[in-house]
């Protein structure tokens, strides 16, 4: 049941609404006439839908009134509470969130991204070579997914000898809408890495977490493990963003031609790919006090769901938001969040995306889509589930 003036909004809880694209029509109507809509769905906690850019941005920027500690994804009751609530970077509020972020920041900053540039480029070239040699391949899994999993594996300190196995586990464990078949061996492997780093720290994120302190206390083993899983899970969004970008370039050949002829637009191209893909469909917060927004009374403890893709299509913020435009400026999208919880991996994600674009332009002679795009059916993440392609290198 919907406790609001726009009953069609309940369709947003149906993954097929997102898979067939009709969610965009629902969001458009909500942005125009019902920017805050309350839901009382069966099987889920009551929540508010927020669809306009400025509203989403303001909630992101206000952790005091909209908390992340209770979970950032809308979960059915049957799934229980998120085990990382109050413990992980994504599921804590300042000041604890700020402390955790400070611990990890040295491994996710611009300096480290530049230091990793050669390694990232080598990975991109290797992945594209493998794809070209295989004939027909799935860009989602064989290129985008592998690249994002390789990056997070390297940041966590996975040895080169274990990379192929670790990447397979990461992809299987966090694949959208699939059973987490590899979650157990991946967790065991991360625990093994934690034990190794406890005996001899290295230059990786696991070592930072083991040595870091919050309120002058070391993190517990559970906190370290859950934060590692938090980082590993984020690789799915990064991969989906890369895949959505490729799908958009295939569907808009004039944009691909513009990119090849004008490499100086690569920076704006990365931002448009992030906006267009909006791989995180939603993010959730919990109201910490009673308040009123747009004439709606939000009660303390109620969930507030921020529809990120809708915000990135808001006509009030973006001119021609339904147009894929690699030259778009300004482009203040919210694909990577905003405020204290802006994605800690944003710098790395942008670097990897830029390097992939550079290598596509310089190393690929031609590419073609060899079958239909299969969209994801999910309320949490957006992008292609499968993108069959063939490419030839120069």
């Amino acid at each position: 049941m919907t406790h609001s003036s726009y009953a069609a909004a309940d369709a947003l809880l149906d993954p097929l609404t997102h898979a067939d694209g009709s969610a965009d029509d629902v969001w458009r109507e909500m942005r125009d006439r019902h920017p805050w809509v309350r839901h009382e769905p069966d099987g889920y906690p009551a929540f508010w839908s927020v669809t306009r850019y400025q509203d989403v941005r303001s909630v992101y920027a206000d952790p005091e009134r909209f908390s992340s500690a209770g979970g950032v994804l809308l979960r059915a009751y049957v799934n229980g509470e998120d085990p990382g609530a109050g413990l992980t970077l994504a599921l804590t509020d300042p000041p604890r969130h700020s402390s955790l972020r400070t611990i990890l920041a040295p491994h996710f900053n611009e300096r480290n991204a530049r230091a990793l540039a050669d390694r990232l480029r080598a990975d991109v070239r290797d992945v594209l070579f493998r794809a070209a040699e295989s004939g027909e391949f799935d860009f989602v899994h064989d290129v985008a997914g592998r690249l994002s999993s390789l990056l997070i594996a390297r940041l966590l300190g996975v040895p080169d000898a274990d990379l192929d196995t670790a990447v397979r586990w990461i992809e299987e464990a966090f694949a959208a809408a699939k059973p987490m078949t590899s979650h157990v061996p991946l967790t065991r492997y991360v625990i093994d890495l934690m034990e190794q780093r406890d005996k001899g720290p290295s230059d990786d994120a696991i070592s930072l977490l083991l040595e870091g302190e919050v309120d002058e206390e070391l993190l517990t083993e559970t906190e370290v493990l859950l934060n590692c899983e938090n980082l590993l899970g984020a690789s799915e969004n990064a991969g989906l963003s890369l895949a959505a970008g490729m799908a958009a370039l295939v569907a808009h050949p004039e944009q691909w031609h513009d990119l090849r002829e004008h490499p100086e637009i690569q920076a704006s191209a990365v931002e448009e790919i992030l906006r267009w893909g909006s791989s995180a469909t939603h993010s959730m917060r919990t109201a910490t006090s009673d308040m009123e927004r747009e004439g709606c009374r939000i009660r303390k403890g109620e969930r507030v769901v921020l529809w990120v893709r809708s915000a990135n299509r808001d006509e009030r913020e973006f001119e021609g938001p339904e147009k894929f435009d690699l030259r778009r400026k300004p482009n203040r999208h919210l694909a990577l969040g905003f405020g204290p919880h802006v994605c800690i991996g944003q710098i790395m994600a942008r670097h990897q995306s830029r390097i992939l674009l550079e290598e596509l332009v310089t190393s690929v002679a031609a590419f073609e889509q060899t079958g239909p795009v299969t969209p994801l059916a999910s309320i949490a993440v957006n992008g292609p589930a499968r993108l069959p392609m063939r490419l030839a290198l120069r």
Side-chain angles (χ1 to χ4, degrees):
M1 181 180 92
T2 302
H3 190 76
S4 72
S5 57
Y6 190 53
D10 273 359
L12 295 174
L13 287 175
D14 183 352
L16 295 180
T17 300
H18 300 272
D20 66 16
S22 58
D24 289 331
D25 297 327
V26 176
W27 285 323
R28 189 178 301 110
E29 177 70 12
M30 292 172 71
R31 289 195 301 269
D32 287 344
R33 302 177 63 184
H34 313 283
W36 286 73
V37 172
R38 190 174 190 276
H39 307 250
E40 292 182 359
D42 293 335
Y44 287 85
F47 69 94
W48 290 88
S49 274
V50 185
T51 49
R52 288 181 181 172
Y53 176 93
Q54 287 297 340
D55 289 332
V56 170
R57 182 180 165 117
S58 68
V59 172
Y60 268 139
D62 191 358
E64 289 188 8
R65 289 195 290 178
F66 297 99
S67 171
S68 299
V72 295
L73 290 177
L74 185 62
R75 295 165 65 93
Y77 283 129
V78 69
N79 293 329
E81 296 296 323
D82 194 311
L87 301 176
T88 67
L89 184 67
L91 276 66
T92 49
D93 299 316
R96 186 173 185 82
H97 171 84
S98 305
S99 297
L100 288 170
R101 196 178 189 91
T102 298
I103 290 171
L104 287 166
H107 225 59
F108 291 86
N109 60 19
E110 181 71 29
R111 180 179 179 181
N112 200 39
R114 291 183 181 277
L116 281 174
D118 289 344
R119 183 66 266 176
L120 294 179
R121 191 174 300 280
D123 284 341
V124 169
R125 289 174 176 173
D126 176 65
V127 167
L128 290 177
F129 176 79
R130 291 190 190 195
E133 288 291 296
S134 68
E136 184 174 306
F137 63 94
D138 174 19
F139 192 93
V140 177
H141 175 267
D142 299 321
V143 176
R146 181 170 178 81
L147 285 175
S148 62
S149 297
L150 272 171
L151 176 55
I152 192 58
R154 291 191 185 283
L155 290 171
L156 286 176
V158 174
D160 287 349
D162 296 343
L163 279 174
D164 282 341
T165 300
V167 164
R168 175 170 56 82
W169 283 339
I170 294 168
E171 290 180 340
E172 291 177 357
F174 295 100
K178 293 183 179 179
M180 296 190 293
T181 54
S182 292
H183 203 92
V184 171
L186 177 61
T187 300
R188 288 173 177 163
Y189 181 75
V190 173
I191 292 172
D192 287 343
L193 285 180
M194 288 167 53
E195 291 176 349
Q196 294 172 28
R197 298 302 182 268
D198 196 35
K199 297 174 183 177
S202 184
D203 182 23
D204 54 49
I206 290 180
S207 296
L208 292 177
L209 287 167
L210 287 169
E211 296 177 335
E213 295 184 359
V214 176
D215 296 330
E216 299 183 347
E217 291 186 2
L218 292 171
L219 301 179
T220 67
E221 291 182 357
T222 298
E223 288 173 317
V224 173
L225 177 60
L226 288 174
N227 275 285
C228 288
E229 290 194 338
N230 190 184
L231 295 172
L232 288 165
S235 66
E236 178 193 12
N237 289 84
L240 287 174
S241 179
L242 296 176
M246 188 72 243
L249 290 173
V250 171
H252 300 83
E254 77 287 353
Q255 294 293 308
W256 168 244
H257 177 76
D258 193 21
L259 182 63
R260 294 193 67 171
E261 294 298 314
H262 301 281
E264 69 272 13
I265 71 170
Q266 285 175 356
S268 63
V270 168
E271 299 308 316
E272 180 67 347
I273 285 171
L274 287 167
R275 182 196 75 90
W276 184 261
S278 295
S279 59
T281 306
H282 82 262
S283 188
M284 189 181 74
R285 299 293 186 267
T286 301
T288 61
S289 62
D290 293 349
M291 68 189 80
E292 187 171 306
R293 292 295 178 98
E294 296 290 331
C296 299
R297 186 70 172 171
I298 294 90
R299 302 289 184 183
K300 179 180 179 180
E302 287 188 322
R303 309 292 191 173
V304 177
V305 172
L306 312 177
W307 294 107
V308 180
R309 180 177 168 87
S310 174
N312 285 337
R313 294 291 196 278
D314 191 345
E315 302 83 355
R316 295 155 191 79
E317 175 67 21
F318 302 97
E319 182 178 350
E322 301 301 329
K323 180 183 179 182
F324 180 63
D325 180 8
L326 296 183
R327 292 176 177 265
R328 182 181 297 278
K329 287 184 180 181
N331 194 349
R332 295 180 289 267
H333 63 79
L334 301 174
L336 297 172
F338 181 76
H341 271 275
V342 68
C343 177
I344 195 171
Q346 61 167 326
I347 293 173
M348 288 292 179
R350 287 183 165 100
H351 271 265
Q352 187 175 60
S353 183
R354 177 182 56 78
I355 290 171
L356 176 58
L357 287 181
E358 289 176 355
E359 291 302 317
L360 287 173
V361 167
T362 59
S363 301
V364 175
F367 61 76
E368 63 174 322
Q369 185 176 323
T370 58
V373 177
T374 303
L376 274 174
S378 169
I379 70 169
V381 289
N382 173 73
R386 188 171 184 273
L387 175 57
M389 293 190 69
R390 184 180 291 111
L391 64 81
L393 299 179
R394 295 181 186 276

